[in-house]
């Protein structure tokens, strides 16, 4: 059956040592939360980081009877974004048995601070959907590279002390919703390598390109 085939896919992937190691980390970070028979929302951008969280969330849901609620945000900041979101939804459903919901919102034309606007829009849509379906936990794919880069980006932009330290937490409260980031101690490289062994694909999110130059300069400074 399709259900058995899907189950075998995830259980087989977990036999790989590298994949099993990251699943252990993922599972340990969720161990203190009683998620049995509860819903967890997973933010899915199509990037290697979010797909890693989605893969391990699916494994966790199968093992712990947790109800998975994955969502894709269509920012509508580019004319291609809606088709990209639909294609990602189709691929995850057809190939991996994961049915994502696409969330979007009609927005005015944005000329600057697109990255900041996109982030605020994501959290607004996440929060409303969580409240609508009584979901208390939201899992995101932030990783160690994000922590380092965002610290310096916020520092260079004049962020206060609260803004500088708030990103380096695995679990934070956001308007009553618990945001869980299981891979803050994991590098993007590790997540990409794991992604190759699991779903086998990922896509770049062009909404991240506004900070691309700044991030590349920071990486060079840190080498």
């Amino acid at each position: 059956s399709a259900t058995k085939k899907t189950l075998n896919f995830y259980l087989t992937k977990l036999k790989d040592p590298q994949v099993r190691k990251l699943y252990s980390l993922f599972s340990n970070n969720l161990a203190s939360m009683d998620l049995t028979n509860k819903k967890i929302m997973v933010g899915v951008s199509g990037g290697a980081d979010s797909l890693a969280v989605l893969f391990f969330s699916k494994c966790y849901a199968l093992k712990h009877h947790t109800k998975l609620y994955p969502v894709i945000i269509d920012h509508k900041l580019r004319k291609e974004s809606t088709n990209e979101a639909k294609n990602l939804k189709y691929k995850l459903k057809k190939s991996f048995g994961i049915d994502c919901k696409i969330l979007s919102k009609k927005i005015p034309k944005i000329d600057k601070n697109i990255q900041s606007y996109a982030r605020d829009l994501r959290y607004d849509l996440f929060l409303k959907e969580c409240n609508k379906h009584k979901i208390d936990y939201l899992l995101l794919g932030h990783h160690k590279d994000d922590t380092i880069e965002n610290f310096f980006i916020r520092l260079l932009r004049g962020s206060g002390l609260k803004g500088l330290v708030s990103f380096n937490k695995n679990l934070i409260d956001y308007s009553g919703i618990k945001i869980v980031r299981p891979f803050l101690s994991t590098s993007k490289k590790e997540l990409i390598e794991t992604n190759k062994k699991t779903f086998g694909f990922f896509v770049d999110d062009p909404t991240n390109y506004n900070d691309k130059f700044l991030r590349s300069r920071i990486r060079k400074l840190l080498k």
Side-chain angles (χ1 to χ4, degrees):
S1 68
T3 302
K4 185 176 181 180
K5 184 178 179 181
T6 299
L7 178 61
N8 287 338
F9 169 82
Y10 290 98
L11 294 179
T12 300
K13 295 298 182 181
L14 283 176
K15 292 179 181 179
D16 179 276
Q18 182 182 11
V19 176
R20 189 167 61 249
K21 176 185 174 183
L22 277 189
Y23 177 72
S24 179
L25 173 66
F26 178 91
S27 182
N28 289 339
N29 279 327
L30 270 60
S32 62
M33 309 165 204
D34 182 15
L35 299 178
T36 303
N37 294 321
K38 292 183 180 178
K39 290 181 180 178
I40 54 173
M41 180 178 289
V42 181
V44 185
S45 69
D49 42 11
S50 75
L51 288 178
V53 170
L54 180 61
F55 173 83
F56 290 119
S57 296
K58 180 66 175 181
C59 295
Y60 188 90
L62 291 170
K63 285 175 171 285
H64 297 273
H65 307 288
T66 300
K67 300 175 184 178
L68 201 59
Y69 196 93
V71 298
I72 299 168
I73 303 295
D74 175 14
H75 297 92
K76 293 188 179 295
L77 294 173
R78 298 172 296 106
K79 61 181 181 180
E80 306 90 355
S81 68
T82 298
N83 282 335
E84 290 170 355
K86 289 179 178 179
N87 289 338
L88 178 60
K89 174 183 170 70
Y90 174 79
K91 187 173 183 65
L92 289 171
K93 175 65 174 178
K94 183 176 185 295
S95 302
F96 308 106
I98 297 176
D99 192 11
C100 299
K101 181 174 183 179
I102 298 176
L103 304 179
S104 63
K105 181 180 179 180
K106 188 175 181 180
I107 60 170
K109 184 178 179 180
I110 307 297
D111 296 320
K112 56 183 179 179
N113 287 329
I114 295 176
Q115 179 71 5
S116 177
Y117 180 86
R119 182 179 62 250
D120 291 343
L121 175 63
R122 283 197 299 275
Y123 280 95
D124 181 57
L125 291 172
F126 284 144
L127 180 61
K128 288 180 179 178
E129 194 70 8
C130 281
N131 289 332
K132 179 180 178 181
H133 295 280
K134 294 180 170 46
I135 300 173
D136 295 325
Y137 293 90
L138 166 64
L139 273 62
L140 299 178
H142 298 141
H143 46 76
K144 183 166 65 176
D145 301 54
D146 287 327
T147 305
I148 297 170
E149 291 167 8
N150 276 280
F151 176 87
F152 283 98
I153 287 173
R154 293 181 185 192
L155 181 65
L156 293 171
R157 288 177 176 170
S159 179
L161 181 61
K162 183 178 180 180
L164 291 175
V165 300
S166 63
F167 200 84
N168 193 26
K169 294 181 180 179
N170 288 89
L171 178 65
I172 61 173
D173 185 278
Y174 179 76
S175 298
I177 304 300
K178 300 292 189 301
I179 297 181
V180 186
R181 297 176 289 193
F183 292 126
L184 283 186
S185 63
T186 307
S187 70
K188 183 175 182 178
K189 182 179 178 181
E190 286 180 88
L191 295 178
I192 290 175
E193 289 302 315
T194 301
N195 181 268
K196 291 177 181 178
K197 295 181 177 183
T198 53
F199 288 147
F201 84 99
F202 67 89
V203 295
D204 286 325
D205 182 2
T207 57
N208 289 328
Y209 290 171
N210 265 22
D211 285 328
K212 190 174 182 180
F213 176 73
L214 183 54
R215 289 176 185 274
S216 66
R217 291 294 300 275
I218 290 172
R219 290 192 191 105
K220 289 180 181 178
L221 289 172
L222 293 174
K223 285 183 178 179

